[in-house]
Structure formats: C-alpha cells, structure tokens
Amino acid sequence: MTSREELRRKGNEIRERLQHGTYPPRERPRAVTSIPGLRNYTGEAIFGSVWSRPGLDIRYRMLATLSVLTALQRLSQFQTYVHSALNMGLTAEEIQEVPIHCSIYAGFPSAVNSLEVAHEAFRERGIEPPQTEVPEVSLEEMERRGLELRETLMGTQDRGGYTNAVTDLAPDLRKITFQFAFGEIFFRPGLDLKDRVVCSTAALTAIRAESQLRNFLQAGPRVGFSKEEMVEVLIQTGGYAGYPAALSAISIAAQVWE
C-alpha cells in the first residue's frame, strides 16, 4: 500500500519536473503555503496521486488542467500553470490555443481573460505571443467540414435527442456550431485533433455539460485514445473542477461505453 510519504515524494518529483510555482520569483511566499497541511494535501492528493499516475502522457494532463482552469476562469492558477506548461516544453502556440478552443464551451469572454493572462506570462519569460496564421475559408466550407468532423468524432446517431431538439427550435444555432466550432476552431493550427478532444472533454467535465460530454467520450476512442486514457483525463479534472464533477463524468462514461 502506498504511504503518504511515498505520495509526497512522487508529488515533489512532479513539482520539480514542472518547476511548479517557481516562476516568476516571488519576494514573499503565497499565503496558502503558510496554512498547515495544505501544501502536503496538494502534493499528495493532486501531484502525487494524480499527476504521477501512469496511463496518460503528462502533456495531455497539462492540456486538461489548462482547459479546466480556463473553463472555470481560475485565472491566478491558470497563470501558474502556463509557466509550468512552458517549463515542461509546451510551446506558446499550444498554450494559446487552449483558451481559444475552450471558448466553444465556456464562451468567448473566458478566452479573452485567459489569453490576457497567458500573454502576460509569455512577456515575463521574454516570449512573443504567437501570431498563428489561420487560412480563411467560406462559411459553406466551414459548415461542410464541420459536419464531416462531427460525424467522424461522434457518428451519426445522437444521444438524448439533442440534435433533434436544436434542429426544431434553433436551427441557426446548430449551423453556427457546425461552422465556427467544428468547422473553424477544430481546424486551427497549434493543437491536433487528439489534443482538442482532451481539451473538450476536460472543459465539458468542468462545466457539467453532460449531454455534450457524452459525445466526446465517444470521440476519444475514435481518435486513438483507449478508454483507460479517457478515464485518466476525467480523473485529472478532479483536483481542479472538484471531485463531484469528475465522479459524475466517470459515471457518464460507464453509461456511454456500455
């Protein structure tokens, strides 16, 4: 049986790998570090028990974490993890794409807020914010490839009648979703399709969007993730979105994969 000391050791190894919370240098320690037991809790329960788990590449764990922090607008923590993401080798372009992608689920203002924080972190590191060039296509092409991508990710059968309800009540919203979410954001450079499925799954778990989460739990195996890897994405969200959100998502996964 793993001891608390062993979890703490593993957690410290992950923290050191990420150089977590060490940049930029601070003259005074954060208040939370002075609260008895709290650093041990995060070291054991989050870094030692989750980040150090096998079964999912640490890069995907970081993308999932950044997605949750964006979706929930935990901006101070988001900035800390931007620095950790840079420390572990993610590029500024990859990091910048996470809030843009999560705008699909948490709204455009969440992307603006998170991007401002990310760019501040880039400037602190002497990194120019990326100017990613995105080829422009027509609305018709965006809708065509958006429909095609959604079918590739989720198939033609919709769970829960979600698409039928939207088609009946708000067909224009459905079209906008296909054009700008699936047909535009998913095709941006910077993150590949597997990266974007991780970001979507984590963000939807965080905001408790259960109908849409069901669809992306289907999408994971379709893009090359094992079910075990998808479960690890959900577990990764627990320390940031709350354990009830992660437990609920795992229950949904069990239903979807039956």
Side-chain angles (χ1 to χ4, degrees):
M1 182 178 295
T2 303
S3 66
R4 295 191 67 173
E5 289 75 16
E6 177 66 10
L7 289 177
R8 204 172 302 167
R9 182 188 65 78
K10 291 181 178 179
N12 286 334
E13 287 177 354
I14 294 293
R15 277 181 165 142
E16 289 175 8
R17 179 175 176 181
L18 301 178
Q19 300 174 52
H20 189 68
T22 62
Y23 199 98
R26 294 180 175 87
E27 294 182 2
R28 294 182 300 171
R30 288 183 172 182
V32 294
T33 62
S34 65
I35 299 174
L38 190 58
R39 180 174 174 83
N40 287 344
Y41 167 74
T42 58
E44 295 167 22
I46 296 178
F47 291 103
S49 295
V50 177
W51 277 85
S52 64
R53 286 173 61 87
L56 185 67
D57 188 280
I58 194 171
R59 181 176 177 278
Y60 292 131
R61 291 191 184 278
M62 180 58 76
L63 291 175
T65 301
L66 292 173
S67 298
V68 171
L69 296 175
T70 294
L72 297 180
Q73 287 293 271
R74 310 298 193 241
L75 297 178
S76 176
Q77 293 76 18
F78 179 77
Q79 185 177 46
T80 298
Y81 278 89
V82 167
H83 283 294
S84 294
L86 291 168
N87 292 339
M88 64 173 282
L90 265 68
T91 67
E93 183 180 38
E94 289 171 324
I95 295 167
Q96 179 173 269
E97 280 300 310
V98 173
I100 295 171
H101 184 86
C102 291
S103 69
I104 300 172
Y105 312 106
F108 191 68
S110 71
V112 172
N113 291 343
S114 296
L115 287 170
E116 288 177 349
V117 169
H119 286 189
E120 179 182 345
F122 296 160
R123 288 191 292 270
E124 289 174 342
R125 304 285 286 260
I127 300 171
E128 285 294 322
Q131 300 296 316
T132 303
E133 292 188 11
V134 181
E136 186 170 311
V137 300
S138 68
L139 289 173
E140 291 76 16
E141 174 62 13
M142 288 163 60
E143 184 173 3
R144 183 203 64 76
R145 70 186 188 182
L147 283 162
E148 185 178 276
L149 176 62
R150 189 189 185 280
E151 183 174 332
T152 297
L153 292 175
M154 302 165 191
T156 57
Q157 182 179 2
D158 182 71
R159 292 176 178 265
Y162 171 75
T163 299
N164 290 337
V166 174
T167 301
D168 292 341
L169 296 175
D172 288 343
L173 178 58
R174 182 171 181 267
K175 177 181 284 191
I176 291 168
T177 301
F178 286 135
Q179 290 173 333
F180 290 98
F182 290 102
E184 176 78 348
I185 298 296
F186 267 85
F187 283 85
R188 287 178 58 89
L191 295 175
D192 65 23
L193 189 54
K194 291 184 73 173
D195 295 336
R196 292 187 183 277
V197 167
V198 168
C199 293
S200 295
T201 302
L204 291 169
T205 297
I207 65 173
R208 305 289 193 95
E210 295 186 357
S211 295
Q212 294 80 7
L213 177 60
R214 288 177 181 272
N215 289 330
F216 277 95
L217 289 169
Q218 296 179 78
R222 288 172 177 262
V223 300
F225 287 114
S226 67
K227 292 177 181 178
E228 291 76 15
E229 286 175 312
M230 292 301 293
V231 168
E232 288 298 324
V233 173
L234 303 179
I235 292 173
Q236 183 70 24
T237 68
Y240 304 96
Y243 296 116
L247 290 168
S248 177
I250 290 171
S251 296
I252 293 168
Q255 297 168 16
V256 168
W257 294 332
E258 282 181 347

